[in-house]
Amino acid sequence: MSKQLGIDLGTANTLIYMKGKDIILREPSVVAIDRQRRRVLAVGEDAKRMLGKTPGGIEAQFPLKDGVIADFDITARMLNFFFSKIHASGIISRPVVVICIPYGVTEVERRAVEDATYEAGAKDVALVSEPIAAAIGSGLRINGPRGSMIVDIGGGTTEVAVLSLNGIVVSSSTRVAGNQLDDAIVQYMRDEHQVLIGRSTAEELKKKIGSVHPSTDIGEIEIRGSNLRSGLAASISISSAQIREALDLPVKQILEVIRRTLAGTPPELSADILSYGIMLSGGGALLGGLPRLISENTGVRVTVAKQPLESVVRGLGRIIEGSSDYPVEFRAR
Ligand code: ADP
Ligand code: MG
């Protein structure tokens, strides 16, 4: 018997739901490879720990960029590794997979996701648009003639979509998302404090004390980096207000995409969004103060999905369990 899987192949994280079970895998989308021997050394959490710390010849990388596959071969190997980890691969029991693709990608990018999934060992593959899965997984009812807006802020992209009757009516996306916020913190530390920090440290700062609205300020924490001029280790105290300053520009860009999409929404649907609000999903939804800031900026109520990092895969889970009436079409290779 084939296992049925729902896969959220994200720029930052990959999650897998197994039919009849639940979410059975949550790992960063990272692969560490030995370039010379062309061997995979580590995948997922183990590989993420190596980021920025590898010696020459070894490379830890994210095979997806901005929501799409940047390295086909490495992506297929990563998926194959995850299949073995959850015991879903084997000659007799190749998995049947429903996997997400961002809305608005090219045909070539679509095919890359499909082919990489087959390459990894899948028997049949069906593709579902990410905003649809995120909406279903956030608990939105999208099958009726009622407009809902979902904003998914991941690692590489922010996707905004207005849904009605199981389809996408309006959508926009931007490459400003979690990674760009981390980069903005790295740059701020360099420009304003002459301290070099790595991306992982920046991400940690964002998660621990990040606050884009004064009402959610947490306080200060001590971080380590190296002094830009002397190159020596430096320790510095950083506050939520400083992180807010660092994130100002990318956060404004995210607000702008949401506002633009609202402005381009047909009036009947925007009336629905006004009454039912905007749903936020993806890891970026956890950024302190963001729901409130979006709400103040748009005049629309904002709800954060219960487990925003899991919305997409939970949506796929509901689709494969048959508890959503969203139709999927498998394409055997
Ligand atoms: P993707 O779908 O692109 O893989 P995810 O939805 O898994 O992305 O979200 C990953 C992003 O969410 C990362 O940029 C991460 O830093 C960010 N993130 C996770 N937790 C938090 C948090 N508590 N505060 C702010 N950002 C967060
Ligand atoms: Mg995602």
Side-chain angles (χ1 to χ4, degrees):
M1 266 292 282
S2 287
K3 289 176 168 137
Q4 281 195 43
L5 307 177
I7 305 182
D8 171 11
L9 179 64
T11 307
N13 297 296
T14 298
L15 288 87
I16 303 184
Y17 180 102
M18 189 183 280
K19 185 174 180 183
K21 296 220 158 136
D22 199 346
I23 298 173
I24 51 164
L25 182 132
R26 297 174 180 83
E27 297 265 5
S29 308
V30 185
V31 180
I33 39 176
D34 182 332
R35 280 279 170 215
Q36 269 122 34
R37 301 200 184 88
R38 312 191 70 204
R39 243 186 44 204
V40 171
L41 295 176
V43 180
E45 203 62 65
D46 295 335
K48 194 180 183 189
R49 278 195 286 272
M50 299 180 185
L51 282 171
K53 296 182 180 173
T54 50
I58 295 177
E59 203 183 321
Q61 64 171 82
F62 287 89
L64 285 104
K65 295 260 170 331
D66 306 324
V68 297
I69 294 179
D71 189 322
F72 180 86
D73 189 44
I74 305 288
T75 304
R77 288 168 82 167
M78 178 175 82
L79 281 174
N80 177 263
F81 177 94
F82 291 150
F83 287 170
S84 342
K85 188 163 180 178
I86 60 172
H87 308 292
S89 64
I91 307 156
I92 5 169
S93 64
R94 292 186 299 144
V96 171
V97 174
V98 179
I99 190 164
C100 267
I101 40 152
Y103 185 72
V105 296
T106 66
E107 185 55 31
V108 173
E109 289 164 337
R110 256 177 101 86
R111 281 309 283 263
V113 172
E114 200 173 12
D115 291 345
T117 313
Y118 282 123
E119 186 81 18
K123 187 170 82 180
D124 293 308
V125 179
L127 303 175
V128 170
S129 255
E130 227 152 53
I132 300 262
I136 295 174
S138 304
L140 292 174
R141 301 240 319 256
I142 60 163
N143 56 355
R146 182 175 106 184
S148 341
M149 176 176 270
I150 177 99
V151 177
D152 183 280
I153 308 174
T157 52
T158 294
E159 289 191 72
V160 185
V162 176
L163 313 165
S164 175
L165 294 167
N166 273 340
I168 295 172
V169 185
V170 188
S171 102
S172 5
S173 91
T174 167
R175 289 178 176 181
V176 181
N179 294 341
Q180 293 249 352
L181 299 179
D182 301 344
D183 290 345
I185 294 175
V186 171
Q187 197 181 331
Y188 170 86
M189 293 301 297
R190 194 175 50 212
D191 298 349
E192 302 294 321
H193 299 280
Q194 287 72 51
V195 170
L196 286 176
I197 60 168
R199 251 198 175 185
S200 311
T201 306
E203 186 184 16
E204 210 184 303
L205 269 173
K206 175 184 73 177
K207 289 188 188 174
K208 284 199 178 134
I209 60 161
S211 156
V212 296
H213 192 282
S215 65
T216 48
D217 278 5
I218 287 155
E220 307 199 334
I221 53 169
E222 191 90 354
I223 57 142
R224 278 161 220 244
S226 56
N227 185 286
L228 194 60
R229 299 217 179 75
S230 66
L232 298 175
S235 178
I236 178 173
S237 176
I238 292 293
S239 71
S240 291
Q242 287 170 307
I243 298 295
R244 181 160 55 254
E245 193 186 329
L247 298 182
D248 188 56
L249 181 68
V251 165
K252 279 197 176 122
Q253 291 170 316
I254 292 173
L255 291 174
E256 184 49 35
V257 184
I258 300 173
R259 271 211 303 263
R260 212 177 49 223
T261 316
L262 274 172
T265 300
E268 301 295 337
L269 296 174
S270 31
D272 291 342
I273 295 166
L274 253 174
S275 10
Y276 301 104
I278 295 172
M279 181 65 80
L280 262 191
S281 67
L286 296 167
L287 180 61
L290 190 61
R292 182 151 177 188
L293 188 71
I294 294 174
S295 181
E296 285 178 4
N297 248 270
T298 54
V300 182
R301 188 164 50 85
V302 173
T303 310
V304 176
K306 254 196 211 101
Q307 282 153 315
L309 284 158
E310 299 179 350
S311 302
V312 169
V313 83
R314 291 228 171 263
L316 295 175
R318 294 194 59 177
I319 290 171
I320 58 180
E321 297 290 1
S323 53
S324 139
D325 64 357
Y326 191 76
V328 285
E329 218 177 283
F330 285 97
R331 215 151 92 179
R333 184 152 67 163

